Amino acid sequence: MSVPQPPEPIPGARLLFSLDPAVSHLNHGSFGAVPIGVQRAQQRLRDEMEANPLRFFTQGLVDRIAHTRRHLAGFLGADPDGSALVGNTTTGVAVVLQSLGLQPGDEVLSTDHGYGAVSLAIQRECRRTGAVSRVLPIPLAASDEQLVQIIRAGLRPGRTRVLVVDQLTSATAKLFPTAAIVGVAREHGVPVLVDAAHAPGMLSTTVASIGADFWVGNLHKWAYAPRGTALLAVTPQWRDRIEPLVVSWEQESGFPARVEWQATLDYTSWLAAPAGLFTLRSLGVDRVRAHNAALAAYGQRVVADALGVPPAQLPDPGGPEVSLRLIPLPAGLAATIDAARALQARIGERLAAEVAVMSWNGRGWLRLTGQIYNTADEYERLAARLPALLAQR
Ligand SMILES: Cc1ncc(COP(=O)(O)O)c(C=O)c1O
């Protein structure tokens, strides 16, 4: 099988970012990168805030937040009045979990592809309420049909109070068939919380088409928003039950304002987020998606070839827009989270390449992303140098 061709580069795209040119930034997935124009937009808002803090906070800020939320929700195909801006996916998940009113004996069902911090949040909420957490193992190579079947068999109607699934997983870069999962859970009367941290900007699937009771996604990864921008969408039957983590002045206004207004915070990341969407749209949303996914696929193949991993052993993410790709590391490497973090730091220092090293189910994986600021030679350089680094254990 021949290596797929890299996509046409997007000329000048690197110049839109402040990224250190001496480093290959192949891990957009963890913390994103904010285009310079969006940084500037946020700085202008901060200047406005500092010019007259009292006026900024008391004259129309709640409305400006609502206006921004409607715009972002529109882009994501979410109900603008059934969505709330939150700081990040972790916060959105915590808001939902503590609003469920879990009782002793209730069960929170999730999968072994879930994000580590979300698993910790589930465990804490279970400890607090006496509920139990159950984690369904799902093979990495499971097809959509198999995945839905495993989840169907894992639901315990009457006991499972919520099912938590990822739209696109972090450690395993696997696209879950969320709409089908929601359909099955609904047949069994189980609400679903979708962790869609990576979806906004990368995936074209609309929030409405998934139909989850709760959906939360970051705009600060693939939608070029400043960090601290996420959207939590909630179906109508749950909105009155959603409580913020911190009670503040909009508490009596109900959802979404009571979740959005979290006292004196820097809200400029939210207000500047439309500039991120403007950047994405100016470049062409479909063009950016196609470029990033094709480049990640190319990077996966050249690095896998260098490590001697046959194409058949490369996980397929399950969708044409996925811009995260995994490569298995030699057995014994990055088998624990600590070992994965150490290897990631070593690759960053020695090879001037920022990548994600994941440990999943006792095995190490390299996760690469594609973004408009990346070019094929960055993956080729990594491929040329990584085998020697991995050989020095
Ligand atoms: C699947 C998934 N869920 C949740 C998160 C947490 O996102 P945040 O740190 O913005 O809350 C991430 C971050 O990478 C993620 O990949």
Side-chain angles (χ1 to χ4, degrees):
M1 237 192 279
S2 61
V3 176
Q5 285 303 300
E8 280 294 310
I10 300 183
R14 180 83 172 210
L15 297 172
L16 299 177
F17 294 84
S18 319
L19 294 163
D20 179 353
V23 174
S24 295
H25 301 273
L26 306 175
N27 180 12
H28 190 86
S30 288
F31 301 108
V34 185
I36 293 167
V38 181
Q39 296 177 40
R40 289 270 154 78
Q42 184 175 18
Q43 189 55 49
R44 286 170 64 117
L45 289 157
R46 285 190 167 137
D47 292 345
E48 181 193 337
M49 176 165 69
E50 295 313 327
N52 191 335
L54 193 80
R55 188 162 67 199
F56 186 84
F57 277 92
T58 60
Q59 307 282 316
L61 182 54
V62 172
D63 290 342
R64 284 170 87 175
I65 291 171
H67 184 73
T68 303
R69 176 228 309 145
R70 288 196 191 99
H71 178 69
L72 301 180
F75 175 77
L76 297 172
D79 178 351
D81 298 315
S83 304
L85 287 168
V86 289
N88 48 49
T89 295
T90 307
T91 301
V93 166
V95 166
V96 171
L97 290 175
Q98 54 105 46
S99 298
L100 291 169
L102 295 174
Q103 304 278 333
D106 287 348
E107 175 185 276
V108 178
L109 187 62
S110 57
T111 80
D112 62 350
H113 295 248
Y115 186 70
V118 169
S119 307
L120 292 171
I122 293 172
Q123 287 163 25
R124 193 191 72 165
E125 188 59 15
C126 287
R127 271 198 310 276
R128 198 176 72 81
T129 58
V132 288
S133 159
R134 192 157 55 89
V135 179
L136 278 178
I138 297 194
L140 187 55
S143 67
D144 283 0
E145 294 71 31
Q146 289 165 334
L147 211 156
V148 172
Q149 193 42 46
I150 293 168
I151 287 180
R152 185 198 301 275
L155 295 169
R156 290 182 183 154
R159 251 193 98 184
T160 311
R161 290 288 161 224
V162 69
L163 166 68
V164 183
V165 285
D166 298 45
Q167 188 167 343
L168 174 58
T169 65
S170 170
T172 53
K174 186 171 176 66
L175 193 64
F176 272 37
T178 35
I181 292 169
V182 169
V184 161
R186 185 146 297 147
E187 280 167 24
H188 292 80
V190 175
V192 181
L193 163 58
V194 173
D195 172 349
H198 287 280
M202 188 205 292
L203 306 176
S204 54
T205 312
T206 63
V207 176
S209 70
I210 295 171
D213 300 76
F214 317 100
W215 176 102
V216 58
N218 285 330
L219 286 107
H220 56 223
K221 289 186 188 289
W222 300 88
Y224 301 144
R227 287 180 201 89
T229 311
L231 194 85
L232 167 65
V234 177
T235 47
Q237 68 273 25
W238 285 99
R239 287 175 197 162
D240 289 345
R241 283 181 268 176
I242 294 291
E243 289 289 340
L245 296 178
V246 174
V247 174
S248 188
W249 285 101
E250 293 298 322
Q251 179 65 16
E252 301 305 323
S253 307
F255 186 87
R258 70 154 63 130
V259 170
E260 287 175 338
W261 189 260
Q262 293 281 278
T264 311
L265 275 187
D266 184 350
Y267 295 95
T268 59
S269 56
W270 297 353
L271 302 185
L277 294 190
F278 179 80
T279 308
L280 193 55
R281 285 179 164 133
S282 305
L283 291 159
V285 184
D286 292 342
R287 176 181 180 219
V288 169
R289 285 179 176 145
H291 171 274
N292 294 349
L295 195 53
Y298 176 76
Q300 180 191 40
R301 275 297 297 278
V302 288
V303 174
D305 282 356
L307 295 180
V309 179
Q313 282 179 25
L314 290 177
D316 176 354
E321 296 168 336
V322 176
S323 310
L324 303 171
R325 292 268 179 162
L326 286 191
I327 300 130
L329 287 169
L333 277 183
T336 64
I337 290 181
D338 284 348
R341 285 183 180 152
L343 178 58
Q344 179 175 304
R346 201 148 65 93
I347 294 172
E349 280 159 25
R350 303 268 189 87
L351 306 187
E354 300 297 354
V355 299
V357 179
M358 301 297 188
S359 174
W360 186 72
N361 281 357
R363 147 132 240 196
W365 302 85
L366 188 71
R367 192 190 72 185
L368 299 177
T369 55
Q371 241 316 337
I372 57 168
Y373 49 73
N374 294 126
T375 47
D377 60 300
E378 295 180 293
Y379 306 86
E380 290 156 9
R381 251 192 332 265
L382 176 68
R385 300 177 65 195
L386 187 62
L389 183 100
L390 296 183
Q392 304 161 7
R393 298 216 185 171

